[in-house]
Amino acid sequence: MASIVALISLVPLGFIAWVTVDVGWQTVVSLVFRARVGDLLVNTVLLESTAVPITVALAVALAWLIERTNIPLPNLWSWLMVTPLAVPAFVHSYAWIGVSPGMHGLWSAVFISVIAYFPFIYLPIAATLRRLDPAIEDAAASLGLGPWPVFFRVVLPQLRLAILGGALLVALHLLSEYGLFVMIRFDTFATAIVDQFQSAYNSTAANMLSGVLVLCCILLLGLDNWVRGNERYARVGTGSIRPAQRQSLGLYLIPALLLTTLVTILSLGVPIFTLLRWLYIGGTDIWRMDTVGNAFIQSILLALAGGVLAMLAAAPMAWLSVRAPGRFQRILEACHYYVGSLPGVVVALSLVTITVRLFLPLYQTFATLIIAYILLFLPRAMVGLRASVAQAPVELERAAMSLGKSPTRAVWLTTMRLAAPGAAASIALVAMGITNELTATLMLAPNGVETLATKFWSLTSEIDYVAAAPHAVMMVVLSLPLTLLLQAQSKRTAGQ
């Protein structure tokens, strides 16, 4: 079963290769090596090289202030720094356009990207800071190092994996994001692919742009692997069990409070203010069951179906990765994970082309849409489920088989029951992703199917921001509980 899922996950990559061979080298050269692709590549490089470092610097500063200094109300600030995850990136863009309609171009894209995505880096950095052994910092201080040298020479190197992991996640999101950049009129590969698809249905040009976008993803993954290196980060022994001593900010307390307050206002205050403003203007008339209610119900059904099926698809691989590690297992696992780095537009375009050419009855059906969701969010399902399987003793499976149960039945009755909390968390993570997914749903959804995200997008495309507000609010309402759950789980793993 894990091999079948791995083969299906290779479909988008195989599709790109197939289209490249099918159209011929001359067509590839004419479509790829042209001025338009060069402009998109420049935009992408400028966006990534500007937004990612700023996001990293902001996340590191916020995490250190909240976790390691005497800033007042650290728990409150910690929750506020994670809560922006509940607001989809394109809703951030919508909110800022409502406040400042003239926002467009690179610097607007960088600004909104930073405030929308910094929690992806803040969360792992804060979690790592909670788990660091303070005795290492004490030893450095005893050798005469001041607070800043201790931070840069002792603490920051230990945050390397958290920083690189979060930065990679943000960089991949920037490659795949569509709605955020369309609203502020900043062209990227994702926006160009969707525009090409909509203007010239399933054109060869869109397929070639998808190939370039996949190459950008591969380059990012390779760069991350090279920068990550082979350094050892684990320690021998239990280390110090006491929490790290918080440093006094002194005269820097006011600037620290101003920074956290400003970030909160920009990332939460503006979206909340904009949504409340549009809701107030629209009144009760915009809360219609035939629009908001229908989109809400369809979003819930698709999220639950996609979440459950993604968890079931990930379960065999999660079990194999724990119970039968090996070279072939690692290859299968890599197939499960790589597809999560692909932009939704590439996955959707590959499924559109394949269904139209080979399986026309499946075109624009729920089956194709659910397959896209499974492929896009398979890594999310793997993460929580694999950790839960690892905590279930293999001896229970063996005991069940000694009592006459088949291997499959033994795994189901023992390991999968113990892994139920992890499975539930995986379903919730996938469901949140599906609730906020836009590009794949726009391209694959059957006629008459409208999720909160697609309905919101269609209304904002018509400049009907008032009617779009309830859909944005409901997306935030659905995502907020899981966002808070992630923060709580992060603290729980650190013993807090």
Side-chain angles (χ1 to χ4, degrees):
M1 182 63 184
S3 299
I4 295 175
V5 175
L7 287 174
I8 295 175
S9 69
L10 290 174
V11 165
L13 195 60
F15 155 76
I16 297 296
W18 171 43
V19 170
T20 303
V21 173
D22 185 55
V23 300
W25 180 245
Q26 286 187 334
T27 303
V28 171
V29 171
S30 64
L31 291 176
V32 173
F33 297 96
R34 55 193 175 111
R36 174 60 172 166
V37 176
D39 293 339
L40 295 175
L41 189 59
V42 170
N43 284 352
T44 299
V45 172
L46 290 175
L47 178 66
E48 297 278 1
S49 61
T50 307
V52 174
I54 294 175
T55 308
V56 168
L58 178 63
V60 171
L62 291 171
W64 183 80
L65 286 173
I66 293 170
E67 299 298 331
R68 288 302 183 88
T69 71
N70 65 336
I71 191 170
L73 304 174
N75 289 332
L76 174 62
W77 290 120
S78 180
W79 288 105
L80 290 175
M81 294 303 106
V82 177
T83 305
L85 284 176
V87 184
F90 53 85
V91 175
H92 278 284
S93 185
Y94 156 81
W96 278 96
I97 288 295
V99 172
S100 178
M103 291 188 69
H104 66 275
L106 173 63
W107 290 109
S108 295
V110 169
F111 172 74
I112 299 178
S113 298
V114 170
I115 63 173
Y117 290 125
F118 81 88
F120 284 110
I121 305 180
Y122 167 85
L123 192 60
I125 292 176
T128 303
L129 282 173
R130 298 185 196 111
R131 295 194 299 267
L132 290 183
D133 185 357
I136 302 177
E137 300 168 49
D138 295 341
S142 68
L143 295 174
L145 295 180
W148 286 113
V150 168
F151 174 77
F152 284 105
R153 296 176 61 178
V154 178
V155 177
L156 192 59
Q158 296 182 82
L159 301 178
R160 183 177 179 181
L161 287 182
I163 291 173
L164 291 177
L168 176 63
L169 188 59
V170 171
L172 291 174
H173 271 81
L174 293 179
L175 281 182
S176 62
E177 180 59 43
Y178 168 71
L180 186 161
F181 300 126
V182 166
M183 282 193 173
I184 58 175
R185 291 172 289 170
F186 181 73
D187 292 338
T188 64
F189 281 108
T191 62
I193 292 170
V194 175
D195 291 344
Q196 188 69 40
F197 175 80
Q198 292 176 341
S199 61
Y201 171 74
N202 197 27
S203 68
T204 303
N207 293 329
M208 291 300 98
L209 288 175
S210 296
V212 177
L213 189 53
V214 169
L215 288 177
C216 291
C217 290
I218 294 174
L219 287 174
L220 278 177
L221 293 172
L223 179 62
D224 174 76
N225 185 65
W226 175 70
V227 174
R228 192 182 298 266
N230 298 313
E231 285 80 359
R232 178 184 172 90
Y233 295 88
R235 65 172 180 242
V236 177
T238 59
S240 176
I241 61 174
R242 65 175 176 81
Q245 183 178 0
R246 290 183 175 269
Q247 299 182 21
S248 175
L249 288 171
L251 296 176
Y252 296 102
L253 178 60
I254 298 302
L257 288 173
L258 289 176
L259 176 63
T260 51
T261 302
L262 179 63
V263 171
T264 302
I265 292 173
L266 296 178
S267 61
L268 285 176
V270 171
I272 292 174
F273 168 78
T274 304
L275 291 176
L276 291 178
R277 173 172 170 262
W278 290 126
L279 291 177
Y280 174 77
I281 293 174
T284 58
D285 294 338
I286 59 177
W287 292 91
R288 297 173 53 187
M289 182 57 66
D290 60 336
T291 56
V292 181
N294 183 57
F296 178 79
I297 292 172
Q298 293 195 36
S299 296
I300 290 290
L301 292 177
L302 286 172
L304 289 177
V308 171
L309 291 175
M311 185 275 297
L312 293 176
M317 190 67 253
W319 184 86
L320 281 175
S321 65
V322 175
R323 298 289 191 252
R327 182 175 299 178
F328 183 63
Q329 169 269 325
R330 287 194 293 271
I331 295 175
L332 292 180
E333 192 172 10
C335 293
H336 281 64
Y337 276 111
Y338 103 91
V339 71
S341 67
L342 297 181
V345 63
V346 173
V347 175
L349 194 57
S350 65
L351 292 178
V352 166
T353 304
I354 290 172
T355 53
V356 167
R357 295 191 180 187
L358 302 177
F359 308 102
L360 188 58
L362 291 178
Y363 174 65
Q364 279 197 324
T365 61
F366 281 104
T368 305
L369 183 59
I370 293 297
I371 290 173
Y373 288 153
I374 292 173
L375 293 177
L376 287 171
F377 302 111
L378 193 59
R380 293 194 186 195
M382 280 282 295
V383 171
L385 193 57
R386 185 178 62 176
S388 295
V389 171
Q391 294 174 353
V394 67
E395 289 78 10
L396 296 179
E397 297 178 19
R398 295 169 181 168
M401 286 187 285
S402 70
L403 294 175
K405 302 296 182 181
S406 65
T408 303
R409 185 71 174 164
V411 171
W412 177 257
L413 292 175
T414 57
T415 299
M416 294 313 297
R417 286 194 175 185
L418 293 174
S426 296
I427 293 173
L429 279 170
V430 175
M432 184 177 75
I434 293 174
T435 300
N436 299 332
E437 206 286 322
L438 179 62
T439 52
T441 310
L442 284 173
M443 298 173 69
L444 295 173
N447 293 330
V449 173
E450 290 183 321
T451 65
L452 290 170
T454 58
K455 186 61 179 176
F456 167 85
W457 185 251
S458 65
L459 291 170
T460 54
S461 299
E462 299 170 0
I463 321 298
D464 193 352
Y465 290 169
V466 173
H471 300 85
V473 169
M474 295 311 299
M475 279 189 284
V476 175
V477 168
L478 288 177
S479 302
L480 185 59
L482 181 58
T483 300
L484 300 180
L485 176 63
L486 290 174
Q487 171 69 351
Q489 183 62 31
S490 173
K491 291 195 170 186
R492 190 176 298 114
T493 57
Q496 298 183 10

